Amino acid sequence: MTEKFRKFNGQYWLIALVVGVMLPWLLKFMSVSRFHQIVWLLFVVDFVLAAVVGWWIRRTEQTGWLI
């Protein structure tokens, strides 16, 4: 399982699922307004996540297609 997880870059799929599915559900569950969901999720979290994942990909010298 771990070999296939690494072969298909599972950590990036997992991050995408958490940010794309779990985080919006969590914000909705916490009754955060739609405006704040968009501001915090799209601008702040996605910006920080893109920077961290981009740095991580560069540091491990993986292909740019992962971005």
Side-chain angles (χ1 to χ4, degrees), residues 9-17 19 45-67:
N9 300 306
Q11 66 270 23
Y12 302 114
W13 286 99
L14 187 61
I15 290 170
L17 282 174
V19 171
V45 173
D46 284 348
F47 176 79
V48 171
L49 185 67
V52 170
V53 169
W55 172 81
W56 189 11
I57 289 172
R58 183 187 68 158
R59 193 189 88 185
T60 57
E61 297 178 358
Q62 295 179 351
T63 178
W65 288 105
L66 292 174
I67 296 175

PDB file of all heavy atoms in Angstrom, residues 9-17 19 45-67:
ATOM      1  N   ASN A   9       2.042   9.460  -5.943  1.00  0.00           N
ATOM      2  CA  ASN A   9       2.097  10.726  -5.204  1.00  0.00           C
ATOM      3  C   ASN A   9       0.875  10.897  -4.310  1.00  0.00           C
ATOM      4  O   ASN A   9       0.191  11.911  -4.345  1.00  0.00           O
ATOM      5  CB  ASN A   9       2.240  11.897  -6.176  1.00  0.00           C
ATOM      6  CG  ASN A   9       3.497  11.782  -6.986  1.00  0.00           C
ATOM      7  OD1 ASN A   9       4.590  11.647  -6.440  1.00  0.00           O
ATOM      8  ND2 ASN A   9       3.366  11.796  -8.301  1.00  0.00           N
ATOM      9  N   GLY A  10       0.623   9.913  -3.508  1.00  0.00           N
ATOM     10  CA  GLY A  10      -0.554   9.888  -2.645  1.00  0.00           C
ATOM     11  C   GLY A  10      -0.626  11.029  -1.663  1.00  0.00           C
ATOM     12  O   GLY A  10      -1.711  11.479  -1.313  1.00  0.00           O
ATOM     13  N   GLN A  11       0.539  11.537  -1.220  1.00  0.00           N
ATOM     14  CA  GLN A  11       0.503  12.630  -0.254  1.00  0.00           C
ATOM     15  C   GLN A  11      -0.145  13.875  -0.859  1.00  0.00           C
ATOM     16  O   GLN A  11      -0.866  14.593  -0.174  1.00  0.00           O
ATOM     17  CB  GLN A  11       1.902  12.941   0.294  1.00  0.00           C
ATOM     18  CG  GLN A  11       2.883  13.497  -0.700  1.00  0.00           C
ATOM     19  CD  GLN A  11       3.689  12.448  -1.421  1.00  0.00           C
ATOM     20  OE1 GLN A  11       3.274  11.299  -1.516  1.00  0.00           O
ATOM     21  NE2 GLN A  11       4.837  12.811  -1.941  1.00  0.00           N
ATOM     22  N   TYR A  12       0.068  14.101  -2.151  1.00  0.00           N
ATOM     23  CA  TYR A  12      -0.541  15.268  -2.793  1.00  0.00           C
ATOM     24  C   TYR A  12      -2.036  15.054  -3.011  1.00  0.00           C
ATOM     25  O   TYR A  12      -2.826  15.995  -2.900  1.00  0.00           O
ATOM     26  CB  TYR A  12       0.163  15.567  -4.113  1.00  0.00           C
ATOM     27  CG  TYR A  12       1.642  15.818  -3.914  1.00  0.00           C
ATOM     28  CD1 TYR A  12       2.583  14.955  -4.418  1.00  0.00           C
ATOM     29  CD2 TYR A  12       2.083  16.908  -3.173  1.00  0.00           C
ATOM     30  CE1 TYR A  12       3.939  15.170  -4.221  1.00  0.00           C
ATOM     31  CE2 TYR A  12       3.419  17.133  -2.963  1.00  0.00           C
ATOM     32  CZ  TYR A  12       4.351  16.265  -3.493  1.00  0.00           C
ATOM     33  OH  TYR A  12       5.677  16.472  -3.271  1.00  0.00           O
ATOM     34  N   TRP A  13      -2.435  13.831  -3.325  1.00  0.00           N
ATOM     35  CA  TRP A  13      -3.863  13.516  -3.453  1.00  0.00           C
ATOM     36  C   TRP A  13      -4.556  13.661  -2.105  1.00  0.00           C
ATOM     37  O   TRP A  13      -5.675  14.165  -2.020  1.00  0.00           O
ATOM     38  CB  TRP A  13      -4.065  12.105  -3.993  1.00  0.00           C
ATOM     39  CG  TRP A  13      -3.759  12.011  -5.449  1.00  0.00           C
ATOM     40  CD1 TRP A  13      -2.613  11.556  -6.017  1.00  0.00           C
ATOM     41  CD2 TRP A  13      -4.604  12.423  -6.522  1.00  0.00           C
ATOM     42  NE1 TRP A  13      -2.698  11.645  -7.381  1.00  0.00           N
ATOM     43  CE2 TRP A  13      -3.907  12.168  -7.718  1.00  0.00           C
ATOM     44  CE3 TRP A  13      -5.878  12.962  -6.587  1.00  0.00           C
ATOM     45  CZ2 TRP A  13      -4.452  12.445  -8.969  1.00  0.00           C
ATOM     46  CZ3 TRP A  13      -6.417  13.236  -7.832  1.00  0.00           C
ATOM     47  CH2 TRP A  13      -5.711  12.986  -8.993  1.00  0.00           C
ATOM     48  N   LEU A  14      -3.884  13.233  -1.063  1.00  0.00           N
ATOM     49  CA  LEU A  14      -4.449  13.347   0.273  1.00  0.00           C
ATOM     50  C   LEU A  14      -4.613  14.808   0.683  1.00  0.00           C
ATOM     51  O   LEU A  14      -5.658  15.200   1.207  1.00  0.00           O
ATOM     52  CB  LEU A  14      -3.554  12.610   1.279  1.00  0.00           C
ATOM     53  CG  LEU A  14      -4.068  12.480   2.692  1.00  0.00           C
ATOM     54  CD1 LEU A  14      -5.384  11.707   2.723  1.00  0.00           C
ATOM     55  CD2 LEU A  14      -3.031  11.777   3.550  1.00  0.00           C
ATOM     56  N   ILE A  15      -3.623  15.628   0.411  1.00  0.00           N
ATOM     57  CA  ILE A  15      -3.704  17.059   0.706  1.00  0.00           C
ATOM     58  C   ILE A  15      -4.858  17.681  -0.081  1.00  0.00           C
ATOM     59  O   ILE A  15      -5.633  18.473   0.455  1.00  0.00           O
ATOM     60  CB  ILE A  15      -2.371  17.762   0.380  1.00  0.00           C
ATOM     61  CG1 ILE A  15      -1.292  17.337   1.373  1.00  0.00           C
ATOM     62  CG2 ILE A  15      -2.533  19.270   0.387  1.00  0.00           C
ATOM     63  CD1 ILE A  15       0.107  17.782   0.995  1.00  0.00           C
ATOM     64  N   ALA A  16      -4.978  17.318  -1.360  1.00  0.00           N
ATOM     65  CA  ALA A  16      -6.047  17.866  -2.201  1.00  0.00           C
ATOM     66  C   ALA A  16      -7.421  17.476  -1.670  1.00  0.00           C
ATOM     67  O   ALA A  16      -8.342  18.305  -1.649  1.00  0.00           O
ATOM     68  CB  ALA A  16      -5.878  17.393  -3.636  1.00  0.00           C
ATOM     69  N   LEU A  17      -7.580  16.238  -1.238  1.00  0.00           N
ATOM     70  CA  LEU A  17      -8.870  15.809  -0.685  1.00  0.00           C
ATOM     71  C   LEU A  17      -9.202  16.535   0.616  1.00  0.00           C
ATOM     72  O   LEU A  17     -10.346  16.936   0.837  1.00  0.00           O
ATOM     73  CB  LEU A  17      -8.863  14.304  -0.447  1.00  0.00           C
ATOM     74  CG  LEU A  17      -9.059  13.448  -1.675  1.00  0.00           C
ATOM     75  CD1 LEU A  17      -8.878  11.978  -1.324  1.00  0.00           C
ATOM     76  CD2 LEU A  17     -10.419  13.684  -2.280  1.00  0.00           C
ATOM     77  N   VAL A  19      -8.104  19.531   1.612  1.00  0.00           N
ATOM     78  CA  VAL A  19      -8.395  20.948   1.358  1.00  0.00           C
ATOM     79  C   VAL A  19      -9.654  21.111   0.513  1.00  0.00           C
ATOM     80  O   VAL A  19     -10.428  22.046   0.733  1.00  0.00           O
ATOM     81  CB  VAL A  19      -7.188  21.624   0.678  1.00  0.00           C
ATOM     82  CG1 VAL A  19      -7.520  23.018   0.213  1.00  0.00           C
ATOM     83  CG2 VAL A  19      -6.024  21.675   1.644  1.00  0.00           C
ATOM     84  N   VAL A  45      -5.672  29.904   3.020  1.00  0.00           N
ATOM     85  CA  VAL A  45      -5.252  28.513   3.109  1.00  0.00           C
ATOM     86  C   VAL A  45      -4.650  28.038   1.786  1.00  0.00           C
ATOM     87  O   VAL A  45      -3.580  27.408   1.778  1.00  0.00           O
ATOM     88  CB  VAL A  45      -6.432  27.610   3.535  1.00  0.00           C
ATOM     89  CG1 VAL A  45      -6.054  26.152   3.477  1.00  0.00           C
ATOM     90  CG2 VAL A  45      -6.897  27.987   4.928  1.00  0.00           C
ATOM     91  N   ASP A  46      -5.302  28.329   0.678  1.00  0.00           N
ATOM     92  CA  ASP A  46      -4.781  27.874  -0.614  1.00  0.00           C
ATOM     93  C   ASP A  46      -3.442  28.529  -0.947  1.00  0.00           C
ATOM     94  O   ASP A  46      -2.556  27.889  -1.503  1.00  0.00           O
ATOM     95  CB  ASP A  46      -5.785  28.142  -1.734  1.00  0.00           C
ATOM     96  CG  ASP A  46      -6.938  27.161  -1.715  1.00  0.00           C
ATOM     97  OD1 ASP A  46      -6.848  26.154  -0.991  1.00  0.00           O
ATOM     98  OD2 ASP A  46      -7.922  27.409  -2.428  1.00  0.00           O
ATOM     99  N   PHE A  47      -3.276  29.806  -0.595  1.00  0.00           N
ATOM    100  CA  PHE A  47      -2.009  30.486  -0.854  1.00  0.00           C
ATOM    101  C   PHE A  47      -0.878  29.854  -0.055  1.00  0.00           C
ATOM    102  O   PHE A  47       0.185  29.531  -0.601  1.00  0.00           O
ATOM    103  CB  PHE A  47      -2.129  31.978  -0.507  1.00  0.00           C
ATOM    104  CG  PHE A  47      -0.832  32.713  -0.658  1.00  0.00           C
ATOM    105  CD1 PHE A  47      -0.391  33.089  -1.910  1.00  0.00           C
ATOM    106  CD2 PHE A  47      -0.059  33.014   0.451  1.00  0.00           C
ATOM    107  CE1 PHE A  47       0.813  33.764  -2.060  1.00  0.00           C
ATOM    108  CE2 PHE A  47       1.148  33.685   0.307  1.00  0.00           C
ATOM    109  CZ  PHE A  47       1.582  34.063  -0.947  1.00  0.00           C
ATOM    110  N   VAL A  48      -1.110  29.637   1.226  1.00  0.00           N
ATOM    111  CA  VAL A  48      -0.085  29.032   2.079  1.00  0.00           C
ATOM    112  C   VAL A  48       0.194  27.599   1.631  1.00  0.00           C
ATOM    113  O   VAL A  48       1.353  27.175   1.538  1.00  0.00           O
ATOM    114  CB  VAL A  48      -0.511  29.085   3.562  1.00  0.00           C
ATOM    115  CG1 VAL A  48       0.420  28.272   4.437  1.00  0.00           C
ATOM    116  CG2 VAL A  48      -0.574  30.521   4.037  1.00  0.00           C
ATOM    117  N   LEU A  49      -0.847  26.857   1.348  1.00  0.00           N
ATOM    118  CA  LEU A  49      -0.683  25.470   0.921  1.00  0.00           C
ATOM    119  C   LEU A  49       0.084  25.380  -0.397  1.00  0.00           C
ATOM    120  O   LEU A  49       0.961  24.526  -0.547  1.00  0.00           O
ATOM    121  CB  LEU A  49      -2.039  24.788   0.784  1.00  0.00           C
ATOM    122  CG  LEU A  49      -1.987  23.311   0.462  1.00  0.00           C
ATOM    123  CD1 LEU A  49      -1.395  22.548   1.642  1.00  0.00           C
ATOM    124  CD2 LEU A  49      -3.360  22.805   0.157  1.00  0.00           C
ATOM    125  N   ALA A  50      -0.220  26.239  -1.345  1.00  0.00           N
ATOM    126  CA  ALA A  50       0.486  26.228  -2.625  1.00  0.00           C
ATOM    127  C   ALA A  50       1.970  26.538  -2.429  1.00  0.00           C
ATOM    128  O   ALA A  50       2.832  25.911  -3.061  1.00  0.00           O
ATOM    129  CB  ALA A  50      -0.141  27.235  -3.583  1.00  0.00           C
ATOM    130  N   ALA A  51       2.269  27.473  -1.552  1.00  0.00           N
ATOM    131  CA  ALA A  51       3.669  27.806  -1.280  1.00  0.00           C
ATOM    132  C   ALA A  51       4.401  26.637  -0.629  1.00  0.00           C
ATOM    133  O   ALA A  51       5.524  26.294  -1.019  1.00  0.00           O
ATOM    134  CB  ALA A  51       3.742  29.048  -0.395  1.00  0.00           C
ATOM    135  N   VAL A  52       3.775  26.008   0.348  1.00  0.00           N
ATOM    136  CA  VAL A  52       4.413  24.900   1.057  1.00  0.00           C
ATOM    137  C   VAL A  52       4.593  23.696   0.140  1.00  0.00           C
ATOM    138  O   VAL A  52       5.672  23.087   0.102  1.00  0.00           O
ATOM    139  CB  VAL A  52       3.597  24.515   2.315  1.00  0.00           C
ATOM    140  CG1 VAL A  52       4.091  23.228   2.920  1.00  0.00           C
ATOM    141  CG2 VAL A  52       3.654  25.640   3.330  1.00  0.00           C
ATOM    142  N   VAL A  53       3.564  23.337  -0.608  1.00  0.00           N
ATOM    143  CA  VAL A  53       3.662  22.184  -1.505  1.00  0.00           C
ATOM    144  C   VAL A  53       4.672  22.457  -2.622  1.00  0.00           C
ATOM    145  O   VAL A  53       5.467  21.584  -2.982  1.00  0.00           O
ATOM    146  CB  VAL A  53       2.274  21.808  -2.079  1.00  0.00           C
ATOM    147  CG1 VAL A  53       2.389  20.807  -3.208  1.00  0.00           C
ATOM    148  CG2 VAL A  53       1.401  21.251  -0.976  1.00  0.00           C
ATOM    149  N   GLY A  54       4.685  23.661  -3.162  1.00  0.00           N
ATOM    150  CA  GLY A  54       5.676  24.015  -4.182  1.00  0.00           C
ATOM    151  C   GLY A  54       7.087  23.930  -3.650  1.00  0.00           C
ATOM    152  O   GLY A  54       8.001  23.412  -4.312  1.00  0.00           O
ATOM    153  N   TRP A  55       7.316  24.403  -2.439  1.00  0.00           N
ATOM    154  CA  TRP A  55       8.632  24.313  -1.810  1.00  0.00           C
ATOM    155  C   TRP A  55       9.018  22.855  -1.585  1.00  0.00           C
ATOM    156  O   TRP A  55      10.155  22.454  -1.812  1.00  0.00           O
ATOM    157  CB  TRP A  55       8.622  25.081  -0.489  1.00  0.00           C
ATOM    158  CG  TRP A  55       9.867  24.896   0.314  1.00  0.00           C
ATOM    159  CD1 TRP A  55      11.056  25.536   0.138  1.00  0.00           C
ATOM    160  CD2 TRP A  55      10.042  24.002   1.406  1.00  0.00           C
ATOM    161  NE1 TRP A  55      11.955  25.084   1.062  1.00  0.00           N
ATOM    162  CE2 TRP A  55      11.364  24.145   1.855  1.00  0.00           C
ATOM    163  CE3 TRP A  55       9.209  23.091   2.051  1.00  0.00           C
ATOM    164  CZ2 TRP A  55      11.862  23.417   2.913  1.00  0.00           C
ATOM    165  CZ3 TRP A  55       9.713  22.371   3.110  1.00  0.00           C
ATOM    166  CH2 TRP A  55      11.019  22.532   3.529  1.00  0.00           C
ATOM    167  N   TRP A  56       8.048  22.055  -1.136  1.00  0.00           N
ATOM    168  CA  TRP A  56       8.272  20.639  -0.860  1.00  0.00           C
ATOM    169  C   TRP A  56       8.640  19.885  -2.141  1.00  0.00           C
ATOM    170  O   TRP A  56       9.561  19.064  -2.158  1.00  0.00           O
ATOM    171  CB  TRP A  56       7.028  20.062  -0.226  1.00  0.00           C
ATOM    172  CG  TRP A  56       7.130  18.666   0.322  1.00  0.00           C
ATOM    173  CD1 TRP A  56       8.254  17.922   0.511  1.00  0.00           C
ATOM    174  CD2 TRP A  56       6.053  17.857   0.745  1.00  0.00           C
ATOM    175  NE1 TRP A  56       7.925  16.707   1.037  1.00  0.00           N
ATOM    176  CE2 TRP A  56       6.576  16.642   1.194  1.00  0.00           C
ATOM    177  CE3 TRP A  56       4.684  18.042   0.812  1.00  0.00           C
ATOM    178  CZ2 TRP A  56       5.790  15.613   1.682  1.00  0.00           C
ATOM    179  CZ3 TRP A  56       3.906  17.022   1.298  1.00  0.00           C
ATOM    180  CH2 TRP A  56       4.454  15.825   1.729  1.00  0.00           C
ATOM    181  N   ILE A  57       7.944  20.181  -3.226  1.00  0.00           N
ATOM    182  CA  ILE A  57       8.235  19.531  -4.504  1.00  0.00           C
ATOM    183  C   ILE A  57       9.628  19.927  -4.994  1.00  0.00           C
ATOM    184  O   ILE A  57      10.397  19.089  -5.465  1.00  0.00           O
ATOM    185  CB  ILE A  57       7.150  19.877  -5.543  1.00  0.00           C
ATOM    186  CG1 ILE A  57       5.844  19.172  -5.179  1.00  0.00           C
ATOM    187  CG2 ILE A  57       7.591  19.496  -6.946  1.00  0.00           C
ATOM    188  CD1 ILE A  57       4.661  19.600  -6.018  1.00  0.00           C
ATOM    189  N   ARG A  58       9.970  21.195  -4.861  1.00  0.00           N
ATOM    190  CA  ARG A  58      11.290  21.643  -5.289  1.00  0.00           C
ATOM    191  C   ARG A  58      12.390  21.020  -4.436  1.00  0.00           C
ATOM    192  O   ARG A  58      13.423  20.594  -4.944  1.00  0.00           O
ATOM    193  CB  ARG A  58      11.385  23.160  -5.209  1.00  0.00           C
ATOM    194  CG  ARG A  58      12.729  23.687  -5.728  1.00  0.00           C
ATOM    195  CD  ARG A  58      12.860  25.131  -5.484  1.00  0.00           C
ATOM    196  NE  ARG A  58      12.969  25.323  -4.037  1.00  0.00           N
ATOM    197  CZ  ARG A  58      13.492  26.382  -3.470  1.00  0.00           C
ATOM    198  NH1 ARG A  58      13.917  27.367  -4.212  1.00  0.00           N
ATOM    199  NH2 ARG A  58      13.560  26.499  -2.177  1.00  0.00           N
ATOM    200  N   ARG A  59      12.169  20.958  -3.132  1.00  0.00           N
ATOM    201  CA  ARG A  59      13.171  20.417  -2.225  1.00  0.00           C
ATOM    202  C   ARG A  59      13.451  18.939  -2.490  1.00  0.00           C
ATOM    203  O   ARG A  59      14.587  18.486  -2.392  1.00  0.00           O
ATOM    204  CB  ARG A  59      12.720  20.598  -0.779  1.00  0.00           C
ATOM    205  CG  ARG A  59      13.831  20.347   0.219  1.00  0.00           C
ATOM    206  CD  ARG A  59      13.314  20.331   1.591  1.00  0.00           C
ATOM    207  NE  ARG A  59      12.912  18.934   1.795  1.00  0.00           N
ATOM    208  CZ  ARG A  59      12.304  18.457   2.842  1.00  0.00           C
ATOM    209  NH1 ARG A  59      11.949  19.249   3.795  1.00  0.00           N
ATOM    210  NH2 ARG A  59      12.004  17.196   2.955  1.00  0.00           N
ATOM    211  N   THR A  60      12.411  18.190  -2.812  1.00  0.00           N
ATOM    212  CA  THR A  60      12.589  16.762  -3.077  1.00  0.00           C
ATOM    213  C   THR A  60      12.908  16.489  -4.542  1.00  0.00           C
ATOM    214  O   THR A  60      13.005  15.326  -4.937  1.00  0.00           O
ATOM    215  CB  THR A  60      11.330  15.975  -2.675  1.00  0.00           C
ATOM    216  OG1 THR A  60      10.199  16.503  -3.373  1.00  0.00           O
ATOM    217  CG2 THR A  60      11.089  16.055  -1.180  1.00  0.00           C
ATOM    218  N   GLU A  61      13.056  17.538  -5.337  1.00  0.00           N
ATOM    219  CA  GLU A  61      13.429  17.456  -6.749  1.00  0.00           C
ATOM    220  C   GLU A  61      12.500  16.543  -7.543  1.00  0.00           C
ATOM    221  O   GLU A  61      12.938  15.715  -8.340  1.00  0.00           O
ATOM    222  CB  GLU A  61      14.893  17.004  -6.888  1.00  0.00           C
ATOM    223  CG  GLU A  61      15.863  17.969  -6.286  1.00  0.00           C
ATOM    224  CD  GLU A  61      17.302  17.508  -6.377  1.00  0.00           C
ATOM    225  OE1 GLU A  61      17.554  16.392  -6.889  1.00  0.00           O
ATOM    226  OE2 GLU A  61      18.171  18.266  -5.947  1.00  0.00           O
ATOM    227  N   GLN A  62      11.210  16.716  -7.315  1.00  0.00           N
ATOM    228  CA  GLN A  62      10.222  15.947  -8.068  1.00  0.00           C
ATOM    229  C   GLN A  62       9.830  16.726  -9.310  1.00  0.00           C
ATOM    230  O   GLN A  62      10.183  17.893  -9.480  1.00  0.00           O
ATOM    231  CB  GLN A  62       9.005  15.650  -7.205  1.00  0.00           C
ATOM    232  CG  GLN A  62       9.328  14.754  -6.040  1.00  0.00           C
ATOM    233  CD  GLN A  62       8.113  14.479  -5.183  1.00  0.00           C
ATOM    234  OE1 GLN A  62       7.074  15.073  -5.340  1.00  0.00           O
ATOM    235  NE2 GLN A  62       8.273  13.569  -4.234  1.00  0.00           N
ATOM    236  N   THR A  63       9.081  16.085 -10.187  1.00  0.00           N
ATOM    237  CA  THR A  63       8.702  16.703 -11.444  1.00  0.00           C
ATOM    238  C   THR A  63       7.768  17.894 -11.226  1.00  0.00           C
ATOM    239  O   THR A  63       6.953  17.912 -10.300  1.00  0.00           O
ATOM    240  CB  THR A  63       8.037  15.663 -12.369  1.00  0.00           C
ATOM    241  OG1 THR A  63       7.649  16.312 -13.565  1.00  0.00           O
ATOM    242  CG2 THR A  63       6.830  15.036 -11.736  1.00  0.00           C
ATOM    243  N   GLY A  64       7.877  18.869 -12.101  1.00  0.00           N
ATOM    244  CA  GLY A  64       7.025  20.048 -12.015  1.00  0.00           C
ATOM    245  C   GLY A  64       5.576  19.790 -12.348  1.00  0.00           C
ATOM    246  O   GLY A  64       4.715  20.617 -12.074  1.00  0.00           O
ATOM    247  N   TRP A  65       5.280  18.633 -12.933  1.00  0.00           N
ATOM    248  CA  TRP A  65       3.899  18.288 -13.273  1.00  0.00           C
ATOM    249  C   TRP A  65       3.048  18.121 -12.024  1.00  0.00           C
ATOM    250  O   TRP A  65       1.820  18.194 -12.092  1.00  0.00           O
ATOM    251  CB  TRP A  65       3.843  17.009 -14.097  1.00  0.00           C
ATOM    252  CG  TRP A  65       4.346  17.208 -15.483  1.00  0.00           C
ATOM    253  CD1 TRP A  65       5.539  16.796 -15.981  1.00  0.00           C
ATOM    254  CD2 TRP A  65       3.678  17.888 -16.553  1.00  0.00           C
ATOM    255  NE1 TRP A  65       5.643  17.180 -17.294  1.00  0.00           N
ATOM    256  CE2 TRP A  65       4.523  17.849 -17.661  1.00  0.00           C
ATOM    257  CE3 TRP A  65       2.447  18.538 -16.653  1.00  0.00           C
ATOM    258  CZ2 TRP A  65       4.188  18.435 -18.886  1.00  0.00           C
ATOM    259  CZ3 TRP A  65       2.111  19.115 -17.856  1.00  0.00           C
ATOM    260  CH2 TRP A  65       2.955  19.060 -18.953  1.00  0.00           C
ATOM    261  N   LEU A  66       3.659  17.904 -10.882  1.00  0.00           N
ATOM    262  CA  LEU A  66       2.889  17.752  -9.654  1.00  0.00           C
ATOM    263  C   LEU A  66       2.249  19.064  -9.219  1.00  0.00           C
ATOM    264  O   LEU A  66       1.243  19.057  -8.528  1.00  0.00           O
ATOM    265  CB  LEU A  66       3.787  17.219  -8.518  1.00  0.00           C
ATOM    266  CG  LEU A  66       4.261  15.794  -8.703  1.00  0.00           C
ATOM    267  CD1 LEU A  66       5.253  15.426  -7.617  1.00  0.00           C
ATOM    268  CD2 LEU A  66       3.081  14.849  -8.676  1.00  0.00           C
ATOM    269  N   ILE A  67       2.838  20.159  -9.620  1.00  0.00           N
ATOM    270  CA  ILE A  67       2.274  21.454  -9.240  1.00  0.00           C
ATOM    271  C   ILE A  67       0.985  21.664  -9.989  1.00  0.00           C
ATOM    272  O   ILE A  67       0.011  22.073  -9.483  1.00  0.00           O
ATOM    273  CB  ILE A  67       3.267  22.594  -9.533  1.00  0.00           C
ATOM    274  CG1 ILE A  67       4.482  22.413  -8.662  1.00  0.00           C
ATOM    275  CG2 ILE A  67       2.627  23.938  -9.293  1.00  0.00           C
ATOM    276  CD1 ILE A  67       5.589  23.372  -8.914  1.00  0.00           C
TER     277      ILE A  67
END
